[in-house]
């Protein structure tokens, strides 16, 4: 037995925990994993860190690992068949070239991956789309989670990332968690929040549900869903009305205070109470507590961003911090805590329709000229590309073929599980002329692909992730990949070269070096420095050892806006797009579950995590609504919206208020996104996953319902090819 130890970064959330693997290299097997010291995690990990690597063993519980390229040689409607890499690359390149020649570069859409691949392939994917295809139609799943944080923060304070670091949270004096339950989404961040409480911090929480976070908070603002902006405007109102604002900070470091004040003046606590359902004095207390400390921190998650006013709420939260001077020192500031492991990094790499890597605008002629020269092309497109949430609009709702999306390369994501209104999404995929999926697993989207390109997984390749607090950290190969698979960056290079734009690299580090040379704020973050320090937080301007990176942003009140001033911004509240009525009397909100992740292809294929919970998931319903509906805990029910119907189990719980139901989003049979609405924030184009009208129906024939769940689950697994290869699924 030949044993090696490899340290790498967890692949599941933006906390960026460090894990130490022990592997038997002769048998190519992982023997053990344990957390080890890292900047963000000390030496701790959550259950996904401990048990979430089993998918590397391909236990084929939910779906199966891809081991060879698959193509539909005969076109749509013909079966997926194994192909050599040469044939698959030529097939993809020929089809993309034909579509580009006929319909133009903007007829092709690319979606890259905030999950396993790492920063380097994401850099190459946006380079491929911009330099080879000639379009800015490149995006990723930040669009459906924290794009509102990026847009809202950049418009107010100039940077879209967390202003503070995860370890600083434990020394905050006041922590305002809004739309964020760290215990479910980032357990290691939750640990810092608990430590802050132990050190005497005042915790307050705005969330419509009773959560682990609300339970440890001194103040729980259990507001009605979709009313965040009324609350934050009213908090600003109280702060100004009671003279609690930091007048000197406002004077010296901000602009547009008067316009902001004019809006929030219209939100006295009594008016906000009527909108939010909160007690006016609780709003006053929250405002006084927040303004009463120079070390107040705001942390938020998708309970802020996944609304049609998500960007406005982010701007309002940043403005609260400006109002009270809570920026530019340790343990203060704003924290949009990014969900997936590398969603911060994928934004950093310019996998967004409007910026190159390092947040350099595609509209800036100097930036375009710099990247064009480095990439060896005459010019690069200047107009912003398409947001991935608008792909259905550009397929099923676009009548002019010249303006449609005709090809979609989806790399490491599963929109047929994770996007809203899945019936519309399936129709979209069916109508697109050519769909490419590059992934590690068969998934719901790849069922509709014309070509499937199998990639190495986290644990099988080298690279860099960015943690939620801007920390570049290494990921490393633990085991050798099995089958005829390739690293993501290599696949992109092969297709690009076959399309006439040669890309060739020796490995991930060479790609990284090209990227940092083009991005001033990442320029000092060499592999060598990341290795030596363990983590380098951007901005890191200089390669020399004296620049160790940046722990917190906006030092001394100097913001990353063009003139260095923080800009006050907010807007008037309006209700969500689709509100409850007589036919759909409940509101549906989607939430996270700690043991499962994203589209579940990874955690659903880990035996220990699978054993925690399984299909068809749950819908959380209040005891009062259960009584009205005549349903009880554990009973199968139908949840119905204007867009679809799914079967799931009733979870009777006092954690939720009457009139609102909640579903976790990773289930394949109890798929909440069959029900969600595709209404978008007008700026970030993030869907309003957190609010649509729904109803719950009792199912009298429970035996039929369980058989139906089993049939649907079996059919999905058939589609993934589980039975075809004859492996046991219930290990
Ligand atoms: Fe992994 Fe996040 Fe858990 Fe840390 S907190 S072990 S990064 S899932």
């Amino acid at each position: 037995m030949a044993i090696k130890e490899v340290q790498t970064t967890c692949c599941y959330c933006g906390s960026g925990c460090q894990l130490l693997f022990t592997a038997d290299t002769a048998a190519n097997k992982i023997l053990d994993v344990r957390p080890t010291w890292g900047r963000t995690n000390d030496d701790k990990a959550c259950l996904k860190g401990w048990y979430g690597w089993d998918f590397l063993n391909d236990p084929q519980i939910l779906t199966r690992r891809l081991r060879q390229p698959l193509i539909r040689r005969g076109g749509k409607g013909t079966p997926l068949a194994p192909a050599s890499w040469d044939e698959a690359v030529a097939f993809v390149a020929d089809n993309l070239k034909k579509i580009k020649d006929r319909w133009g570069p903007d007829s092709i859409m690319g979606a890259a991956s905030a999950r396993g691949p790492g920063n380097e392939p994401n850099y190459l994917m946006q380079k491929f789309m911009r330099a080879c295809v000639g379009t800015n139609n490149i995006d990723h799943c930040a669009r459906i989670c924290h794009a509102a944080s990026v847009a809202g923060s950049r418009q107010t304070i100039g940077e879209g990332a967390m202003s503070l670091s995860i370890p600083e949270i434990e020394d905050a004096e006041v922590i305002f968690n809004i739309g964020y339950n760290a215990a479910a989404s980032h357990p290691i961040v939750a640990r810092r929040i608990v430590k802050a409480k132990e050190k005497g911090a005042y915790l307050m929480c705005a969330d419509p549900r009773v959560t682990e976070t609300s339970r440890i908070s001194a103040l729980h603002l259990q507001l009605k869903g979709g009313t965040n902006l009324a609350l934050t405007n009213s908090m600003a109102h109280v702060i100004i009305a009671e003279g609690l604002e930091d007048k000197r900070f406002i004077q010296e470091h901000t602009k547009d205070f008067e316009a902001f004040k004019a809006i929030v003046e219209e939100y006295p606590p009594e008016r906000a109470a009527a909108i939010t359902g909160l007690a006016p004095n609780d709003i006053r207390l929250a405002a006084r507590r927040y303004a009463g400390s120079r070390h107040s921190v705001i942390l938020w998650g998708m309970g802020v961003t996944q609304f049609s006013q998500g960007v406005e709420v982010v701007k309002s939260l940043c403005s609260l911090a400006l109002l009270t001077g809570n920026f530019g020192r340790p343990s203060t500031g704003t924290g949009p805590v990014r969900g997936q492991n590398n969603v911060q990094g994928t934004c950093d790499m310019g996998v967004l329709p409007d910026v190159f890597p390092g947040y350099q605008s595609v509209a800036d002629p100097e930036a375009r000229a710099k990247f064009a020269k480095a990439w060896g092309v005459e010019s690069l497109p200047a107009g912003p590309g398409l947001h991935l949430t608008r792909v259905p609009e550009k397929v099923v709702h676009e009548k002019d073929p010249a303006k449609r999306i005709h090809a979609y390369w989806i790399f490491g994501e599963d929109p047929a599980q994770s996007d809203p209104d899945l019936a519309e999404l399936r129709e979209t995929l069916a109508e697109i002329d050519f769909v490419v999926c590059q992934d590690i697993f068969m998934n719901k989207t790849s069922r509709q692909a014309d070509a499937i390109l199998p990639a190495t997984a986290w644990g099988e390749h080298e690279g860099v992730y960015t943690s939620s607090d801007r920390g570049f950290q290494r990921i490393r190969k633990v085991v050798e990949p099995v089958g005829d698979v390739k690293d993501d960056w290599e696949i992109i290079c092969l297709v690009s070269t076959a399309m006439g734009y040669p890309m060739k690299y020796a490995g991930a580090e060479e790609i990284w070096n090209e990227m940092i040379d083009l991005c001033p704020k990442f320029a000092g973050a060499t592999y060598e420095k990341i290795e030596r320090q363990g983590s380098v937080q951007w901005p890191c301007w200089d390669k020399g050892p004296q620049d160790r990176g940046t722990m917190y942003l906006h030092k001394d009140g100097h913001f990353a806006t063009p003139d260095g001033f923080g800009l006050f911004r907010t807007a008037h509240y309006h209700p969500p797009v689709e509100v409850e009525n007589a036919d759909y009397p409940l509101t549906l909100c989607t939430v996270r579950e700690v043991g499962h992740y994203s589209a579940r292809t990874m955690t659903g294929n880990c035996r220990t995590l699978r054993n925690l919970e399984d299909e068809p998931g749950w819908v959380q319903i209040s005891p009062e609504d259960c009584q009205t509906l005549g349903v009880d805990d554990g009973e199968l029910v139908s949840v119905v919206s204007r867009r679809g119907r799914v079967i799931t189990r009733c979870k009777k719980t006092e954690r939720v208020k009457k009139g609102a139901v909640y579903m976790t989003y990773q289930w394949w049979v109890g798929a909440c996104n069959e029900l969600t609405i595709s209404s978008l924030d007008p700026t970030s184009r993030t869907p309003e996953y957190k609010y649509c009208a729904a109803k719950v129906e009792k199912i009298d024939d429970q035996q039929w319902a369980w058989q139906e769940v089993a049939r649907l689950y079996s059919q999905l697994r058939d589609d993934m090819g589980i039975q075809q290869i004859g492996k046991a699924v219930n290990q």
Side-chain angles (χ1 to χ4, degrees), residues 87 348 410 598 611:
E87 186 185 11
D348 295 347
I410 301 160
S598 186
N611 289 342

Short mmCIF file of all heavy atoms in Angstrom, two decimals, residues 87 348 410 598 611:
data_model
loop_
_atom_site.label_atom_id
_atom_site.label_comp_id
_atom_site.label_asym_id
_atom_site.label_seq_id
_atom_site.Cartn_x
_atom_site.Cartn_y
_atom_site.Cartn_z
N GLU A 87 -13.81 12.35 -32.21
CA GLU A 87 -15.10 12.49 -32.88
C GLU A 87 -16.00 13.49 -32.13
O GLU A 87 -16.67 14.33 -32.75
CB GLU A 87 -15.79 11.13 -32.97
CG GLU A 87 -17.09 11.19 -33.80
CD GLU A 87 -17.87 9.89 -33.81
OE1 GLU A 87 -17.54 8.98 -33.03
OE2 GLU A 87 -18.84 9.81 -34.59
N ASP A 348 -15.08 36.28 -10.29
CA ASP A 348 -13.74 36.88 -10.43
C ASP A 348 -13.18 36.64 -11.83
O ASP A 348 -12.44 37.48 -12.37
CB ASP A 348 -12.76 36.26 -9.41
CG ASP A 348 -13.12 36.56 -7.96
OD1 ASP A 348 -13.97 37.44 -7.72
OD2 ASP A 348 -12.54 35.90 -7.07
N ILE A 410 -23.36 24.12 -21.81
CA ILE A 410 -23.59 24.17 -20.36
C ILE A 410 -22.50 23.35 -19.68
O ILE A 410 -22.40 22.14 -19.88
CB ILE A 410 -24.98 23.60 -20.01
CG1 ILE A 410 -26.07 24.39 -20.73
CG2 ILE A 410 -25.21 23.61 -18.50
CD1 ILE A 410 -27.38 23.67 -20.85
N SER A 598 -27.06 22.14 -3.90
CA SER A 598 -27.30 22.50 -5.28
C SER A 598 -28.23 21.50 -5.96
O SER A 598 -29.28 21.18 -5.45
CB SER A 598 -25.94 22.59 -5.98
OG SER A 598 -26.08 23.05 -7.28
N ASN A 611 -28.31 9.10 3.18
CA ASN A 611 -29.08 8.47 4.25
C ASN A 611 -29.78 9.48 5.16
O ASN A 611 -30.68 9.12 5.91
CB ASN A 611 -28.15 7.58 5.10
CG ASN A 611 -27.73 6.35 4.31
OD1 ASN A 611 -28.37 5.99 3.31
ND2 ASN A 611 -26.66 5.71 4.73
#
